[in-house]
Amino acid sequence: MFNVEKIRDDFPILSKNVYGNPLVYLDNAATSQKPRQVIDALVDYYENYNANVHRGVHTLSMEATDKFEEAREKVATFINSESSDLVVWTRNASEGLNLIAYSWGEDNVHEGDEILLTPMEHHSNLVPWQELARRKNAVIKFIPMRENGTLDMDKVDDLITERTVLVSAVHMSNALGTINSVRELGQKAHQQGAKILVDGAQSVPHMPTNVQELDCDFLVFSGHKMLGPTGIGALYVKRDILNTMEPFLMGGEMVLEVSYEEASWADLPMRFEAGTPNIADSIGLGSAVDYLNDLGMENVRTHEKNLTSYALNKFKEADLDGMDLFGPDDPEVRGGVFSFNTVDVHPHDLGTFLDRMGIAVRTGHHCAMPLVRSLGVAATVRASFYLYNTEREVDILVDGVTEALRYFRDGSK
Amino acid sequence: MYDLEDLYQEIVMDHNRRPRNFGEIKNPTNSANGFNPLCGDQITLQLHLKDGLVSDLAFIGVGCAISKSSASMMTEELKGKTLDHAENLFEAFRKMITRNPGDSYDSDLLGDLEILQGVSRYPARIKCATLAWHTLHSAIHDENNVVSTE
Ligand SMILES: Cc1ncc(COP(=O)(O)O)c(C=O)c1O
């Protein structure tokens, strides 16, 4: 059963007050809050079985290793990976993208090759490719976007050619909320022998993910946006590709045999995990996955879809003067992300005003500078929902924005 | 109502709605662009410097209420003043905005600019308040930005 009030009780921070008002946390696209269960898992590790992994015969090390690998299993099952050895721990989605750009990109992208992106990529799925393209004299192209913030899929066939080696796309946009048809993009990429990378930083936390059904070659995501700790994320790569990829970082843990002259690499996935890993936070992420599984990702998505419909209606009803709400208006292809701009009141001022009411929103370019500029604005205000947000909180947001506009337009008091 | 008056004083709101010296001047000797990538604020400042005096200045740009009003008040404050005075004001302004709670600042020197002192309690907004001043500094000192029309 999906009971929001009960869920909220699991999140200690949600009972906090900000400037005397109950916290309304609507910055989930930046990072999510953590339930007691995840916090407890971290404490349990440090208090009861803290030890390095894969290195000791002693009891604690074996227990830590078991829990660490069990967490990897949980994450692998969560995205329906055929096996847990295809899941590489990273610090976050950004590190996963950089790992692919180096380990796969260096050997597979050549002069004149093309990489196809969308205009709504986070800087993390843009800058590594820009740099790779610069090193290799490769070309980056973009799928055009329609007025409503969805991809113009009709143009994709012409853009994917035999020169295309990679299509890399965000599954759910952190700036617009748009949910892209990455499965279809993957099919089109595969028809031309190109690979498909899915940036799941915003989708994995909010909807069921099935890498086999998506048939994606690469998937990256971050733990901290899905109830887990910061500093831990994961990368999934199809086996035949991961097998051919050279390690990105060298050192301990990632080797099989070492002489003074050379070394051979450890099996998957350790080959890509040099040095002592982030043991505590991996285990914390495993616990977050348990929590999400208990709720059911279908239920999470349904809750957020309802909240999104509700918010779309609320904003429409409020009909705020001079306000532009970006992104698709169909909740089927939109996550709970609300980016907007008002002609005369700057996002920063709105953000500060809302903060005084206890409402946490993000203001700025949301690490998608080219996209926000293409909307014709310097910055936006973004409210983003998660499984613990309520319709009441949407009401508070809409009222807050209404009042803020009045305050800045008509003067205080 | 929401206790925001320490930040958004009536004078700040007024400068925001009706910025002074907003536009361009006829014969700028110096100019610079200021940009705050974090929030997209942008300002172009033009100066006419003559005999060590800021004889005229104006700005255009987009920004929040704090950055726009700060730029507006700065231009009002500096018109007809010496460059030395401008530098002293910048220093005093920076000190006031970045001070720790309880620290004092040069209220006499700052005059009307004191209205922005509340910004020091909003660390996220400090850059908004100082953008115009950093742009001024750059317009006066950076060779690259010097536009000579003489
Ligand atoms: C769509 C998208 N991709 C990538 C990232 C990067 O995630 P991280 O900062 O955790 O590496 C984010 C985070 O904001 C994101 O929203």
Side-chain angles (χ1 to χ4, degrees):
Chain A
M1 250 304 282
F2 198 92
N3 178 339
V4 184
E5 288 312 321
K6 205 162 145 278
I7 291 169
R8 291 180 69 86
D9 288 341
D10 288 332
F11 291 78
I13 211 170
L14 295 182
S15 51
K16 232 181 120 72
N17 281 345
V18 174
Y19 291 112
N21 296 302
L23 168 68
V24 177
Y25 186 76
L26 300 177
D27 194 17
N28 294 286
T31 198
S32 73
Q33 298 302 344
K34 325 300 174 197
R36 168 70 64 202
Q37 289 84 337
V38 169
I39 299 164
D40 286 348
L42 296 174
V43 173
D44 183 40
Y45 165 73
Y46 284 122
E47 285 189 349
N48 294 310
Y49 58 97
N50 172 56
N52 211 327
V53 291
H54 302 303
R55 290 185 187 179
V57 293
H58 62 81
T59 306
L60 294 190
S61 175
M62 286 187 294
E63 186 175 354
T65 305
D66 283 351
K67 290 277 174 44
F68 174 72
E69 288 303 331
E70 189 182 294
R72 195 196 302 274
E73 292 277 353
K74 288 176 185 174
V75 169
T77 309
F78 189 67
I79 58 169
N80 199 31
S81 165
E82 48 274 43
S83 161
S84 69
D85 63 356
L86 306 181
V87 171
V88 177
W89 293 125
T90 59
R91 280 188 302 140
N92 46 38
S94 304
E95 186 175 281
L97 289 159
N98 279 276
L99 194 157
I100 301 164
Y102 279 95
S103 287
W104 179 84
E106 279 299 324
D107 288 338
N108 292 282
V109 178
H110 306 104
E111 184 164 353
D113 284 351
E114 294 180 3
I115 296 171
L116 188 61
L117 305 175
T118 83
M120 57 183 102
E121 295 311 319
H122 188 278
H123 296 160
S124 292
N125 194 25
L126 173 61
V127 182
W129 306 120
Q130 289 174 340
E131 288 305 307
L132 177 67
R134 206 187 315 284
R135 292 198 297 274
K136 299 289 184 173
N137 269 323
V139 180
I140 295 181
K141 294 194 163 172
F142 295 91
I143 302 167
M145 200 173 77
R146 298 197 194 92
E147 187 79 22
N148 68 355
T150 59
L151 292 179
D152 189 347
M153 294 297 285
D154 297 341
K155 301 279 162 55
V156 173
D157 284 327
D158 289 340
L159 282 164
I160 303 183
T161 69
E162 68 273 15
R163 284 192 300 279
T164 312
V165 287
L166 176 72
V167 178
S168 189
V170 64
H171 197 173
M172 186 205 287
S173 161
N174 65 307
L176 301 174
T178 313
I179 298 172
N180 292 314
S181 323
V182 285
R183 185 155 178 267
E184 192 182 337
L185 282 177
Q187 285 165 348
K188 291 177 188 295
H190 288 154
Q191 275 164 20
Q192 292 286 357
K195 304 287 183 248
I196 175 82
L197 187 164
V198 175
D199 175 354
Q202 297 293 342
S203 59
V204 175
H206 298 279
M207 61 177 82
T209 305
N210 183 335
V211 288
Q212 296 185 63
E213 197 177 282
L214 283 175
D215 197 21
C216 59
D217 299 298
F218 308 94
L219 173 79
V220 298
F221 54 100
S222 293
H224 68 92
K225 295 182 200 279
M226 52 188 284
L227 311 183
T230 51
I232 189 71
L235 160 70
Y236 159 87
V237 186
K238 265 189 194 161
R239 184 179 303 281
D240 56 339
I241 302 171
L242 194 59
N243 263 326
T244 64
M245 280 166 52
E246 285 297 314
F248 174 46
L249 298 169
M250 317 291 163
E253 296 257 323
M254 55 77 65
V255 284
L256 188 62
E257 220 182 297
V258 184
S259 70
Y260 281 115
E261 288 76 33
E262 57 182 9
S264 58
W265 308 146
D267 285 342
L268 301 179
M270 309 251 307
R271 194 183 298 172
F272 297 96
E273 296 176 357
T276 298
N278 187 345
I279 306 163
D281 296 319
S282 311
I283 292 167
L285 178 54
S287 160
V289 164
D290 286 342
Y291 190 92
L292 291 169
N293 282 334
D294 282 348
L295 293 177
M297 288 308 291
E298 283 291 354
N299 298 331
V300 170
R301 171 68 184 135
T302 303
H303 172 73
E304 291 181 25
K305 202 156 45 177
N306 291 340
L307 213 50
T308 301
S309 300
Y310 184 80
L312 282 167
N313 281 332
K314 269 278 160 182
F315 273 114
K316 201 178 281 170
E317 270 170 31
D319 192 23
L320 298 174
D321 219 20
M323 178 172 142
D324 273 328
L325 183 60
F326 303 110
D329 50 17
D330 176 7
E332 289 300 323
V333 294
R334 178 190 190 126
V337 175
F338 284 78
S339 268
F340 57 90
N341 186 267
T342 49
V343 277
D344 52 341
V345 179
H346 193 276
H348 240 165
D349 296 320
L350 253 172
T352 296
F353 187 94
L354 294 177
D355 182 48
R356 272 294 165 120
M357 300 176 75
I359 309 171
V361 294
R362 171 94 185 258
T363 62
H365 51 65
H366 321 300
C367 293
M369 252 192 231
L371 172 74
V372 170
R373 271 200 206 118
S374 77
L375 299 172
V377 298
T380 79
V381 179
R382 180 186 72 189
S384 52
F385 308 144
Y386 206 7
L387 45 82
Y388 37 66
N389 289 122
T390 63
E391 292 185 354
R392 210 186 111 61
E393 289 179 310
V394 173
D395 293 343
I396 295 174
L397 170 71
V398 176
D399 289 349
V401 174
T402 310
E403 239 172 277
L405 294 183
R406 197 179 309 137
Y407 180 87
F408 287 105
R409 282 172 182 163
D410 308 338
S412 48
K413 281 137 225 171
Chain B
M1 171 180 192
Y2 287 101
D3 202 20
L4 276 160
E5 280 76 23
D6 55 340
L7 187 62
Y8 297 113
Q9 300 224 9
E10 202 40 52
I11 295 176
V12 171
M13 300 292 255
D14 184 58
H15 276 272
N16 179 41
R17 285 190 211 104
R18 299 185 302 115
R20 323 295 197 268
N21 302 305
F22 194 78
E24 301 190 335
I25 58 174
K26 276 216 186 71
N27 295 309
T29 56
N30 298 51
S31 77
N33 293 311
F35 186 51
N36 181 349
L38 207 66
C39 46
D41 286 358
Q42 203 181 344
I43 173 178
T44 301
L45 183 70
Q46 292 185 332
L47 308 173
H48 188 92
L49 302 183
K50 201 173 171 211
D51 305 332
L53 284 185
V54 182
S55 59
D56 200 5
L57 79 173
F59 78 102
I60 44 177
V62 289
C64 63
I66 303 301
S67 80
K68 217 197 277 175
S69 61
S70 177
S72 172
M73 283 190 256
M74 178 186 86
T75 58
E76 266 198 330
E77 204 59 42
L78 292 182
K79 204 179 273 194
K81 301 281 165 53
T82 66
L83 282 175
D84 283 347
H85 182 69
E87 297 285 354
N88 291 340
L89 267 184
F90 180 22
E91 192 47 35
F93 185 76
R94 211 180 44 77
K95 273 212 181 111
M96 171 183 80
I97 295 284
T98 58
R99 77 188 191 281
N100 293 318
D103 286 0
S104 61
Y105 53 89
D106 195 340
S107 165
D108 291 344
L109 178 64
L110 285 162
D112 284 353
L113 298 174
E114 187 180 354
I115 285 158
L116 285 167
Q117 60 82 22
V119 175
S120 66
R121 283 195 293 281
Y122 295 80
R125 307 304 297 274
I126 287 171
K127 286 203 166 121
C128 310
T130 53
L131 178 64
W133 290 90
H134 283 292
T135 310
L136 171 79
H137 192 79
S138 155
I140 295 173
H141 294 283
D142 287 0
E143 303 277 303
N144 290 342
N145 287 319
V146 176
V147 184
S148 176
T149 53
E150 328 244 280

